[in-house]
Each structure stands twice: as structure tokens, then as C-alpha cells.
Amino acid sequence: NAQSTVSKQITKFKIEAPQLDTIKTIWVYLPKTYQNSKKHYPVIYMHDAQNLFDTQTAYAGEWEIDEYMDSLTSNESIIIGIEHGNEKRIDELTPYKHKTYGGGRGDLYLRFIKNTLKPYIDTHYRTETDSKHTTLFGSSLGGLISFYGIIKYPETFGKAGMFSPAFWINPEIYDLVSSSVIDKSSKFYFLAGTNESEAMIPDLNRMAALLKEKGLKEEQIISSSIE
């Protein structure tokens, strides 16, 4: 049996998600300095919490986010990991319905974060509550919904971090960007592996070009690839 690798900085709680008619398990990572300070911290909302912090629950190995965050001395953030709905994961993390894979309840999922979870977090923890200090972060479908969230709700989410976002499953996302006014302060962080599907890097480049066409400046779009 794999040993649990969860950092001591992490707690869990359950919260009702009326938008999705379910109960969500939420993981909370507090920076090491949190207990002994009075300061308020930025918040990163991360999808697929099962994959974030613990090799015991992770699919294909955890991302070791907590180990990485523990090693940071500056730019500390509170991380809120939202467990995905297992067989409902595609439903929750896709904004549009796919003819083969279904889905399309991403808006309800984001409204859960925006209207239920964030107010709870902001009440119970010392957070920076403005959009500039509120980030959505995820991989694959989690990257897709993070991107959609920052386009759709810029007054709540000011930054989005996307590992290999699954734009292919919802190509409507390009039309959404074309027809949207993109907030001038939004920041996009793209990361992809060079040996992923052949479409991944072209998809990201296409989206970055589209964002620039919409008037975003170079410093608002950070894109990098890893071997």
C-alpha cells in the first residue's frame, strides 16, 4: 500500500453543492506562515483534489503540489482543492456537451465555486478576496474549466493556470473567446508537455494567438512547455 504523503498543512471538509445536487469534499492547504501571521493570502482553487496532494488517492501519481508549495518562501497562497465527482467528472469540468462524452455542466460547477465555496472560504480563512488574488488551476479537463472560468467570470477569477487544457473536447471555447470581451487584467498561465498529443501545442498556440487578437498583452499570457 502506498504511504500517504499528505503535508501537515492540509485539512479536509465537506460542503453542500446545491448547484450540482451533491456534497463536495474540499482539501485546504494553508501556507506554513499562516498560523503565526495576521496577513491575508491569495487563493488558488484547484480541480481534481484527489490528484493534488496524496499518492494514495492520486490517479497516475500526484502532482506534489503541496511539496512544491512548501518549498516556496515567497508568493505563498492558500490552496483549495475540490474533489472531482468521479463518474461525474466530465459533467462538472466541461462547459459544453460533447456528442460522444456528454458533459456540459461546467457553468454549474463554477457557480458552486463562485457562489458557495468562495464565500465560505473567505469567511473562514484570511484571504485576499479580490479577483486579482483568486486563481483557477487545473490539468486537462481541469485546465479547460479554469480557462472557461476566467473568460466567463473575470470579476471573480483574475488568473488561470492550465496544464495541458483539453480544448479539443469543447472546441466551442474558441468561439466563446472570439465573442467575449477579455478583461484587461486577466492572466493566463499555460503549461504543456512536448510529447503529448500532436494537437496540444497547436491548440495552445491557436488560443494564445486568439487572446492576443482580442487585445491581450504579452505579459498577460505565459506559456511554457516541459519535456
Side-chain angles (χ1 to χ4, degrees):
N1 241 358
Q3 284 293 300
S4 174
T5 57
V6 176
S7 149
K8 292 187 201 62
Q9 311 295 117
I10 288 172
T11 54
K12 284 195 217 180
F13 70 89
K14 290 187 187 299
I15 187 170
E16 195 175 344
Q19 299 85 347
L20 299 162
D21 195 25
T22 190
I23 306 285
K24 279 282 179 199
T25 300
I26 308 298
W27 300 50
V28 180
Y29 167 95
L30 295 176
K32 282 181 170 170
T33 56
Y34 185 89
Q35 300 304 351
N36 298 319
S37 79
K38 292 194 168 62
K39 75 179 236 190
H40 288 67
Y41 292 82
V43 183
I44 303 174
Y45 289 91
M46 302 186 81
H47 319 292
D48 296 323
Q50 293 97 319
N51 295 1
L52 296 179
F53 304 109
D54 191 358
T55 47
Q56 273 194 319
T57 58
Y59 168 76
E62 64 160 323
W63 299 353
E64 298 183 350
I65 293 293
D66 49 339
E67 286 88 342
Y68 172 70
M69 295 305 285
D70 278 346
S71 73
L72 290 181
T73 48
S74 61
N75 195 26
E76 291 178 309
S77 298
I78 293 170
I79 297 180
I80 304 301
I82 306 159
E83 287 202 359
H84 63 70
N86 296 306
E87 73 284 354
K88 295 202 167 86
R89 180 174 181 255
I90 288 183
D91 276 353
E92 294 174 357
L93 300 183
T94 53
Y96 306 103
K97 195 165 188 168
H98 186 279
K99 62 179 184 291
T100 307
Y101 301 107
R105 303 188 82 205
D107 251 317
L108 296 172
Y109 172 77
L110 286 167
R111 278 184 235 158
F112 156 67
I113 301 175
K114 185 168 82 81
N115 299 335
T116 303
L117 181 58
K118 185 178 188 297
Y120 178 91
I121 296 299
D122 290 341
T123 305
H124 289 79
Y125 298 94
R126 296 192 314 275
T127 62
E128 296 274 11
T129 60
D130 59 330
S131 62
K132 188 170 72 172
H133 294 102
T134 308
T135 302
L136 289 169
F137 196 108
S139 170
S140 185
L141 293 176
L144 170 69
I145 201 67
S146 297
F147 182 85
Y148 179 80
I150 189 179
I151 301 290
K152 198 80 193 280
Y153 301 111
E155 71 290 346
T156 303
F157 308 112
K159 297 176 185 163
M162 295 145 291
F163 281 0
S164 312
F167 291 145
W168 64 270
I169 199 170
N170 279 172
E172 300 94 329
I173 199 91
Y174 296 101
D175 298 328
L176 175 72
V177 173
S178 293
S179 62
S180 296
V181 175
I182 312 294
D183 195 275
K184 290 290 180 267
S185 56
S186 295
K187 289 212 162 142
F188 299 80
Y189 300 85
F190 294 112
L191 184 65
T194 49
N195 56 0
E196 293 186 56
S197 74
E198 283 178 23
M200 180 56 68
I201 303 296
D203 279 356
L204 282 189
N205 291 342
R206 179 185 168 195
M207 190 58 87
L210 189 52
L211 289 169
K212 284 173 189 163
E213 272 174 40
K214 297 295 291 184
L216 266 73
K217 298 182 173 58
E218 288 285 340
E219 61 269 21
Q220 287 176 264
I221 307 166
I222 296 160
S223 203
S224 51
S225 54
I226 47 174
E227 292 290 327

